[in-house]
Amino acid sequence: MCGIIGILYKGRHVAKDLVRGLKLLEYRGYDSAGVATINRDELLIEKDKGRIDVLNSKLGFEDMPGRIGVAHTRWATHGAPDKINAHPHTDCDGKIAVVHNGIIDNFNEIKDELIRKGHIFKSLTDTEVIPHLIEEYIKNGYSYRDAVIEAVSRLEGAYALGIISLYDPNLMIGVKQLSPLVVGLSEDGVFIASDINSLSPFTKNVIVLDDGEMVFLRTDGYEIMRISNRQRVDKKPLTIEIGTQFADKEGYVHYMLKEIFEQPVVLNYSIRVQEHYLNLMAELLDRSKEIFIIGAGTSYHAALLGSMILSRIARLTAIPVIASEFVSQYGDVVNVESSVLAISQSGETIDVLKAIEFAKSRAATILGITNTLASTLTRVCRVYIHQQSLPEIGVAATKTFTGQLAVLYRLAMVAGKRRGKLSQREMDEMKVEIAKIPGVVEAVLRNVDPIVKKLAKKYSKTKYFIFLGRGLNYPIALEGRLKMLEITYIPSLAYPAGESKHGPISLVEEGVPVIFVAPPDETRRFIIGNMEEMKARGAKLITIGYSDDSELKELSDEYIPMPMVNTLFSPIPYVIPLQLFAYYTATVLGRDPDKPRNLAKSVTVL
Ligand code: M6R
């Protein structure tokens, strides 16, 4: 959470580009924002509560002069989202500005010590201890550079920092520990940022910092140092191609809607990920004694479905686990013969990284599926697959979910073939079927969009929703529920349809909308029974089912007709109406689906 960016240019002002990059980081948090620049021996700071665009118009971020600057977009951890707690933070003399993503665990102890020494704190943040601590070392005779090194050596926790100072106005310092930080280099100048995407308008040449490293950047070069031993680290920039075209709304009102409609295109990329890496991963899975498949939020739903697909197609047992629960639930049995397949769109979710760190310490094999090249996940995995869904800006995961599923299907197919559970003919047939899915998704988007839009209007005033599905579509019910509640704030439940009578049915009364995900597969006849049970108690049945299924249609109050699809792959098209339903309900209610309250795209705090 929180996004940071810093720029030092040779010959022009940085503020416009800081704001441009910051906007690409807004997915990481958006409750407040701020910019610091240095101009003519003066440290200028503008910050407040609110969104970047609004603050830019109000405070004139882009007009701030200076060739060096840092900027921040915040997801509050310590201290309410307000002007005082917004970053950048400064020392008592206003000579050092710091932006920070992460949490300083030992800030209370440092703060008490600094207060005893006379430092005056303005905010409630953990971050503010950093400029004061640097100031304190300078008071004690350290050079500015050494003071920064001493100060960061004392910090415990997770931190990516951007630091500029009047003590050396031509130097920008970046520090990385657990939170991500990349360095960018171009003809015009040097950059630091929380992700590569935010640097894509400025440069393709990047260096990904590792934990425990700091970087000193000047317009004529850079030096990377390992903090623990103060030794220089030799790292050369990589050239990373990231298109900026997908970072634009392209005429859509919201990123979320654009990303939902992008699915037919990007699914084609995910289905065609390189077979070589799928094979490597399948080989490692096949060798493992036990397999865990972990993720958080939407990525956990992909993990759950992935586990079912691996079982069904490859006859492999993979235990799906919520990442934050992994160590307490299964830590004791993880060993050198275990594999952990981590699914994370961002590759930076701290719950996932912590689970992996633990598994690695037990010598388990770490595998990953991610949408973010050069993310921390990619660097700790033995094999990872880049799902190629292109950047996703909306906080609600949509195209990256279906992309994860596409990769998991392909992985299960390759593993099934390797293990002799699929013949070449069966594999070829499955390849033909999965290749049809982007076209099916396109048809679904075309046909159901107007229907779902109307339903959203009709049901937006409901007190709560219930989502039910069975088998492969139970994770889809969970995902429909998560989309609905995270962007509309309407309380929602999801259960396996068969489980609904073991408790949730007591919530059903006249008019409660119950959404059934009901493709024409082996679960259909049981689903019909569950629908009858709900209907008998007054529920409004909203069903997603095959367009020609007259029995289901008759039973339902509302029907979302789906094209015929190979039922093994039905979860991908069947989630589309649920994404649209959540999206339109949010817009009817006047919520911002791209930036739901209290959330951030990348959750980097425990
Ligand atoms: O980047 P990750 O896939 O690891 O993110 C995991 C969750 O934070 C994420 O899926 C979250 O639940 C989304 N807001 C869901 O729409």
Side-chain angles (χ1 to χ4, degrees), residues 1-6 18-19 21-23 25-26 28-36 45-48 50-52 55 61 69-77 82 85-89 97-102 125-127 160-162 192 194:
M1 341 279 259
C2 299
I4 68 171
I5 182 163
L18 278 177
V19 173
L22 198 61
K23 281 186 60 59
L25 291 167
E26 205 173 9
R28 300 180 67 88
Y30 33 80
D31 55 45
S32 41
V35 176
I45 296 197
E46 293 293 349
K47 59 182 189 174
D48 208 341
R51 303 270 166 93
I52 297 167
L55 295 178
F61 284 159
V70 287
H72 186 269
T73 181
R74 182 167 188 243
W75 185 88
T77 57
D82 60 21
N85 292 322
H87 297 216
H89 289 284
V98 176
V99 288
H100 167 214
N101 162 217
T125 64
D126 51 341
T127 308
L161 307 175
I192 49 173
S194 296

Side-chain angles (χ1 to χ4, degrees), residues 371-423:
N371 194 38
T372 312
L373 276 178
S375 58
T376 307
L377 180 62
T378 62
R379 283 175 295 122
V380 292
C381 283
R382 176 106 174 255
V383 179
Y384 74 87
I385 290 169
H386 178 221
Q387 63 181 83
Q388 298 182 32
S389 305
L390 299 177
E392 187 177 69
I393 311 291
V395 163
T398 52
K399 63 172 180 169
T400 56
F401 176 60
T402 49
Q404 289 166 341
L405 298 188
V407 173
L408 286 161
Y409 275 108
R410 292 285 292 114
L411 176 64
M413 286 155 63
V414 170
K417 177 76 190 6
R418 269 193 73 83
R419 289 166 49 79
K421 309 294 176 192
L422 277 187
S423 66

Side-chain angles (χ1 to χ4, degrees), residues 518-520 524 528 545-554 559:
R524 180 187 165 281
I528 288 191
Y546 174 45
S547 55
D548 292 352
D549 193 330
S550 44
E551 191 183 2
L552 274 193
K553 241 191 246 176
E554 240 162 69
Y559 200 70

Side-chain angles (χ1 to χ4, degrees), residues 296-299 343-349 352 395-397 404 479 482-483 486 599-603:
T298 290
S299 296
I343 304 180
S344 173
Q345 184 285 128
S346 61
E348 300 293 351
T349 297
V352 174
V395 163
Q404 289 166 341
E479 178 59 8
L482 178 60
K483 289 292 87 84
E486 74 175 329
L599 290 177
K601 182 96 186 138
S602 180
V603 182

Side-chain angles (χ1 to χ4, degrees), residues 51 55 72-73 90 92 101 151-152 161 190 223 279 322 324 378 387 403 407 424 428 455 491 505 531 573 585:
R51 303 270 166 93
L55 295 178
H72 186 269
T73 181
T90 56
C92 296
N101 162 217
V152 298
L161 307 175
V190 290
E223 182 194 336
N279 255 313
I322 290 178
S324 57
T378 62
Q387 63 181 83
V407 173
Q424 187 60 49
D428 292 343
L455 290 179
I505 201 164
M531 289 171 74
T585 308

